Amino acid sequence: MPARHPAVPSSDPSAPPASPGLVARLRAAGCVFAEDEAELLLAAARTPAELAALAGRRMAGLPLEHVLGWAGFCGHRMHVGPGVFVPRRRSEFLVHEAARHTRPGAVVVDLCCGSGALGAALAACAGPVELHAADIDPAAVRCARANVAAAGGHVHEGDLFAALPEELRGRIDVLLANVPYVPTQEVGLLPPEARDHEPRVALDGGADGLDVLRRVAGAAARWLAPGGVVLSETSERQAPAALRALTGGGLHARAERCAERAATVVLGTRPADVP
Ligand SMILES: C[S@@+](CC[C@H](N)C(=O)[O-])C[C@H]1O[C@@H](n2cnc3c(N)ncnc32)[C@H](O)[C@@H]1O
């Protein structure tokens, strides 16, 4: 997995120039985008002591977004608390695809929401919508509350659909489900930033990475409105099996790929005429 590019572009005109010493120390610590990161740390720190503390945490291996407390996603700053999955730039493609299916007033659910960035970004670009987000991890739920509140959304805690209010059954127009999809054997191969600082429950998708997606696919038709759609990110390799899972759940399934972002999204639509 390539190094994540930092949250905002280096050409940010409001950013103060980074000191060559800080850049060199970040580079020596393995930060690939050291200049950009130095600018962001400098902009975040109010005093030299604060800058030293922030840079120290980064050089100790914490994800930049956890050090800053936010990640750039779809042009917005999303709050990301310690121990919460950092939304990936690749997932902007999932939001882009979801926006094509989102009409004003739609019921949108962001299941396995992590920071809540995907649902919040979708509401910002395709709203107004009725937004609900849910996650099993209390740290993610706390973080999502901060991001989703701005969109007037609601955040629920619990295991997949069991977290949702019963009144949403059969009413969901757009179901975002960026579930964990790393095969168990490959979790150890992830970069240390993910492996050591993001929770296992956010990464590990079981033997082939599709355990959680299969559970979502099996129940989605009962929660989607007629014509409603579920969207999920997978690897390109997993897409055929993911499509079979969606079809097995009674949905019309297809995949979309964005080469530029190296992103694959599978979509499952509930047929409009099936009760
Ligand atoms: C890959 S992260 C994605 C987070 C967010 N959707 C994003 O793209 O930034 C997967 C999320 O699924 C949550 N999760 C894993 N198993 C779950 C379950 N059974 N029920 C609800 N949430 C779950 C994790 O806590 C984690 O926040």
Side-chain angles (χ1 to χ4, degrees), residues 85 87 112-114 118 135-137 140 158-160 178-180 201-202 215:
F85 183 87
C112 293
C113 67
L118 276 58
D135 201 285
I136 201 167
D137 178 0
D159 182 24
L160 298 183
N178 195 22
V179 305
V201 70
R215 289 184 58 207

Side-chain angles (χ1 to χ4, degrees), residues 73 84-88 91 94 110-119 134-138 140-141 157-161 163 176-182 199-204 212 215 233:
F73 188 77
V84 175
F85 183 87
V86 176
R88 307 298 203 257
S91 303
L94 193 154
D110 184 358
L111 208 57
C112 293
C113 67
S115 68
L118 276 58
D135 201 285
I136 201 167
D137 178 0
V141 167
E157 182 178 328
D159 182 24
L160 298 183
F161 295 97
L176 307 171
N178 195 22
V179 305
Y181 64 88
V182 180
R200 181 107 190 175
V201 70
L203 304 170
D204 190 344
V212 185
R215 289 184 58 207
E233 192 176 285

